[in-house]
Amino acid sequence: MSTLYGQMMDMPLVISGLLRHAENNHSDTEIVTRRIEGDIHRYTYADAGQRIRKLANALEASGIKQGDRTATLAWNTYRHFELYYAVSGMGAVLHTINPRLHPEQVAWIVNHAEDRILFFDATFAPIVDAIAEHCPTIEHWVALSDADKMPELKKVKAISYEDYIRDHADQYEWPTLDENAAAALCYTSGTTGNPKGVLYSHRSLVLHTYGACLPDAFGVDATDIVLPVVPMFHVNAWSLPYVGALAGVKLVFPGAKLDGESLYELFEGEKVTISAGVPTVWLLVLQFLQQNNKKLSTLKRMTVGGSACPPALMKTFKQDYGVQLEHAWGMTEMSPLGTYNHPKAKHLGLSEEERFNVALSQGRAVFGVEMKIVDDKGQRMPQDGKSTGDLHVRGPWVVKQYFKKDESPLVDGWFPTGDVGHIDADGYLTITDRTKDVIKSGGEWIGSIDIENIAMAHPAVAMAACIAAKHEKWDERPLLIVQLKEGQSPSKEEILAHFEGKIAKWWTPDDVLFVDGLPLGATGKVQKNKLRDEYGDHLMKQAG
Ligand code: ADP
């Protein structure tokens, strides 16, 4: 039987459409940046649109064609925002590189992507010098600087961004692209093995942006002022640069200064209502607020994701500052949004403590993402809030293949996330661990996230990580590694006593080690593989 087709316009979902929407409807809404040069820059979506078209013309003049990869090594700024729209808008591929990676890895990624131009902030001039000789595909190096503030470079001749776009027209006709064409490229941080490229399409990004704006996701509207702390080099800053244009929000970009004080200044100075970042950022902000006795007068909500949000952090922000930390979960392969935590009507009548417990989970799937928990045979497990297994997902903004890799990562059409957790009857997902971090004690699994959350609720603990340490009898046992707050010196026993009654006794860590600092990876997460390398034999040595 032939299909009866709908008779609606066949307009592709493309990134340039988001920009056109912002220019038509929010032309005087501001975009504010703390520049790398140090000053505050402000302009409007209308101004941005003009410069974006100049940039598109400049890229064409450089010979950039549809599908060509154009790389950035850059902070969250208005210039990076312009690159987001100009590169994808003209049909090329915006490749955002994480500057916190080792230069060797940056060079590997540039070569793998075959980037033709690299736009970089002055801060990253040393990386450019380190990689230049190893990156033959790059034809142009453009410093995201004023012409008179160019960084010193030893190995390349670079042009300033302002010179690069200056003489080009601000008129440009955005091409009508296939919505399935590639628009952006982001590599996973590759804790083991080489990084893998995730190639987003215009369609996947636009659909994801719709999803991200939903009331039960970021829930922004045109009265909001949004400060993305999450970097634009990390999964498109969780799509907030696109969300800004779709919803017409004022965007505030923090540049290179991500310390508690600098963020606080922008929160208050720009009257920010919503922000987003990893838990380590909010720990820093909290420390600044507490040490300086400051309050937050406009901030309502902060999205927290990237790793599990410690309940103690959520509680303190709510009770002492009136700010709701909203838990979200996702990954590079998912553009990144998978779940977001908001209550349902049936939760409204609950006590504060009960509602807090609901808020702790990673949240419910955003429409566009379907989730299931499977056992080790790949069988779907019940959605009962306790059956724990591997989390698989699918949806139009979930990866189906990595860039330049032939084999598909999918299993029966689903993407295995590498996370372990359970889902309850209301759809709330709880991540208990990453597959590779799970502690297997005597054939049973112990989730490290629960243990870390309890440890971090101890008043003396700044950060904690729980790893699997080899054990003679049980194969693996939990070992807790703790970074204390300044001036604190509790004993091991005091930390372990804190677990009593909060967790099954056999989940209690076998030992506690105190360290000056936990190793953080390129996306601000604790590198447990490093901790395992260093302390994995601790209990064996102890047993002697
Ligand atoms: P990588 O750090 O490997 O580059 P991503 O930045 O894409 O990868 O991170 C994805 C992973 O981060 C998820 O698979 C999950 O393990 C972890 N993660 C993200 N958000 C949360 C959260 N809210 N709670 C717990 N873990 C999370």
Side-chain angles (χ1 to χ4, degrees), residues 187-191 234-235 304-309 327-333 362 417-419 431 433-434 449 523 525:
Y187 282 74
T188 62
S189 52
T191 35
H234 190 209
V235 216
V304 48
S307 45
C309 178
H327 209 177
W329 165 87
M331 57 200 310
T332 307
E333 287 89 338
Q362 273 71 10
T417 61
D419 285 333
I431 300 279
D433 226 325
R434 295 189 100 164
I449 294 179
T523 53
K525 302 180 202 197

